């Protein structure tokens, strides 16, 4: 099968690598977002997908606006691809492009559709406390993740999963599911299934306000927010910003899954405090905060200008005291 691969971030890399190493597929070109300034010094660097494509000696096209780039559109017509494969590309494909390949455009989406259509399915899935997610392959249409579904693959979500490690797991699942999907398309043994729009939920772009922690929420809700938007969630401590990137909602996690010292800690022994108040300090772990419902152990933080540190190092380094408030 002759393929053009559309993708940009690290999430798309396993899929491209898988297609490049399978002799049943011929990747004839790659479309990715333009190079961006990244890291310290703001040096211009290629996307992860472009780096792989260049190493493989593939043609790479990087239009700023794909719909309005006549040269890229002409290149895509000329390669006569059987399928366009799209994994986290970052731009909308026009109706003209959707109709260009012989068998259509196939997308690997990071959720079990029709739930979590949109730009950030992994993050919002964690935010809402889902216990299962997966990958859905679909034939693309003009809507946002609304095309008919092809195949699905599932994975459980544990309370410890964060956006980064869950994305890595799903990226590898996407690579395998795409391969199976494409082969079934070639053999015409796959039946597209329309999505039930009444069951759809949205996963919009993440906004800066989504990172703000509101201690009047429950401990479980705060934990889900912290792991969903890892490592960016922020509160205020002693008048300065404090990022919280690790947490445990005490009393809500099965005891068998906790380290022994935490498993022995009983929330019944804690004295309730005001919202956001540090009511106790768990030795070797960190401060315990009163939330709107339950207690949250803060296990990993980052102060401005400092490296990420454990909650216990934070307690010792800043001499955190019981009764202090996180705003």
């Amino acid at each position: 099968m002759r393929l053009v691969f559309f993708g940009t971030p690290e999430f798309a890399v396993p899929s491209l690598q898988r297609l490049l190493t399978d002799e049943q597929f011929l990747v004839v070109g790659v479309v990715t977002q333009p190079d961006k300034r990244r890291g310290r010094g703001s040096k211009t660097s290629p996307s992860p997908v472009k780096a792989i494509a260049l190493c493989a000696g593939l043609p790479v096209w990087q239009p700023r606006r794909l719909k309005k780039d006549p040269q890229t559109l002409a290149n895509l017509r000329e390669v006569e691809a059987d399928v366009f494969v799209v994994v986290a590309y970052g731009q909308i494909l026009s109706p003209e492009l959707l109709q260009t390949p012989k068998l259509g455009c196939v997308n690997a989406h990071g959720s079990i559709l029709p739930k979590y259509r949109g730009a950030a399915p992994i993050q919002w899935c964690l935010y809402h406390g889902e216990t299962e997610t997966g990958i859905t392959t679909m034939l693309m249409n003009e809507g946002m993740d609304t095309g008919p579904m092809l195949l699905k693959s599932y994975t459980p979500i544990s309370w410890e999963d964060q956006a980064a490690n869950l994305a890595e797991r799903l990226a590898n699942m996407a690579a395998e599911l795409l391969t199976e999907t494409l082969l079934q398309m070639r053999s015409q043994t796959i039946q597209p299934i329309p999505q039930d729009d009444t069951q759809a939920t949205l996963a919009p772009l993440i906004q800066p306000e989504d990172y703000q922690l509101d201690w009047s929420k429950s401990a479980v809700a705060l934990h889900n927010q912290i792991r969903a938007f890892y490592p960016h969630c922020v509160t205020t401590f002693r008048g300065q910003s404090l990022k919280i990137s690790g947490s445990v909602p005490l009393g809500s996690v099965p005891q068998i899954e906790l380290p022994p010292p935490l498993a022995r800690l009983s929330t019944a022994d804690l004295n309730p405090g005001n919202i956001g108040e540090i009511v106790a300090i768990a030795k070797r772990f960190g401060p315990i905060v009163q939330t709107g419902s339950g207690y949250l152990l803060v296990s990993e933080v980052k102060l401005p200008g400092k490296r990420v540190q454990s909650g216990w190092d934070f307690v010792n380094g800043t001499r955190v005291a019981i009764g202090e408030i996180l705003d």
Side-chain angles (χ1 to χ4, degrees):
M1 298 182 77
R2 293 174 61 83
L3 311 175
V4 174
F5 188 87
F6 293 68
T8 300
E10 194 66 38
F11 183 84
V13 167
S15 293
L16 177 57
Q17 291 177 321
R18 180 71 174 81
L19 295 172
L20 288 172
T21 56
D22 193 319
E23 294 182 353
Q24 298 175 95
F25 307 111
L26 177 63
V27 181
V28 295
V30 168
V31 183
T32 189
Q33 294 277 54
D35 295 356
K36 290 185 177 181
R37 296 185 182 278
R38 296 177 173 88
R40 292 188 175 182
S42 295
K43 293 182 179 179
T44 301
S45 60
S47 72
V49 162
K50 180 181 178 181
I52 298 298
L54 292 178
C55 287
L58 295 173
V60 177
W61 302 301
Q62 296 180 274
R64 292 195 176 279
R65 296 190 65 185
L66 178 59
K67 293 180 180 181
K68 297 187 177 183
D69 190 304
Q71 185 58 58
T72 299
L73 296 175
N75 292 336
L76 291 171
R77 286 192 293 269
E78 289 172 3
V79 295
E80 297 184 343
D82 296 305
V83 180
F84 290 169
V85 176
V86 182
V87 185
Y89 168 49
Q91 293 192 43
I92 302 295
L93 272 61
S94 66
E96 177 189 356
L97 270 180
L98 293 173
Q99 297 169 10
T100 297
K102 299 172 185 177
L103 300 178
C105 301
V106 176
N107 173 242
H109 184 73
S111 78
I112 300 300
L113 290 172
K115 297 185 74 173
Y116 301 107
R117 295 173 176 173
I122 297 171
Q123 290 87 343
W124 289 110
C125 175
L126 288 168
Y127 180 86
H128 290 294
E130 301 285 357
T131 58
E132 184 180 60
T133 188
I135 295 291
T136 305
T137 54
M138 65 176 170
L139 284 174
M140 298 175 66
N141 60 18
E142 294 179 39
M144 175 65 76
D145 302 323
T146 58
M149 302 174 293
L150 298 171
L151 297 178
K152 295 182 180 182
S153 181
Y154 298 82
T155 185
I157 300 175
S158 80
W159 71 272
E160 294 177 292
D161 278 326
Q162 295 175 323
N165 73 290
L166 183 57
E168 183 178 355
R169 191 157 81 239
L170 289 172
N172 290 323
M173 291 171 57
E176 296 304 315
L177 195 66
L178 268 174
T179 301
E180 184 178 351
T181 299
L182 292 169
L183 293 178
Q184 288 192 33
M185 287 178 66
R186 184 175 66 179
S187 62
Q188 299 182 341
T189 56
I190 197 167
Q191 181 62 47
I193 302 172
Q195 295 188 42
D196 181 355
D197 292 339
T198 66
Q199 301 299 311
T201 59
L202 298 180
L205 285 169
I206 300 165
Q207 303 299 325
E209 54 267 27
D210 295 321
Y211 300 141
Q212 298 293 327
L213 295 173
D214 177 358
W215 295 98
S216 67
K217 293 181 179 179
S218 71
V220 171
L222 288 162
H223 172 70
N224 288 338
Q225 182 181 0
I226 289 165
R227 66 197 187 121
F229 305 135
Y230 172 90
H232 302 294
C233 284
V234 65
T235 187
T236 302
F237 177 71
R238 296 179 184 171
Q240 63 177 339
S241 172
L242 175 69
K243 286 187 175 180
I244 298 181
S245 51
S247 60
V248 181
L250 297 176
S252 301
V253 176
Q255 297 294 93
I256 193 171
E257 297 182 21
L258 292 172
L262 281 184
R264 292 193 294 268
L265 178 65
S266 173
T267 55
D269 297 332
L270 299 176
N271 294 319
N274 297 317
I275 299 298
E277 182 180 350
I278 297 172
V279 298
I281 293 174
K283 189 174 182 179
R284 300 209 304 269
F285 292 99
I288 298 172
V289 183
Q290 175 73 63
T291 72
S293 176
Y295 300 98
L296 189 73
L297 168 67
V298 176
S299 59
E300 186 178 88
V301 304
K302 184 181 183 303
L303 287 161
K306 303 286 186 180
R307 295 182 177 181
V308 174
Q309 58 185 323
S310 70
W312 183 238
D313 287 342
F314 168 63
V315 166
N316 291 324
T318 58
R319 299 185 182 275
V320 174
I322 293 174
E324 292 197 82
I325 301 292
L326 299 178
D327 295 329

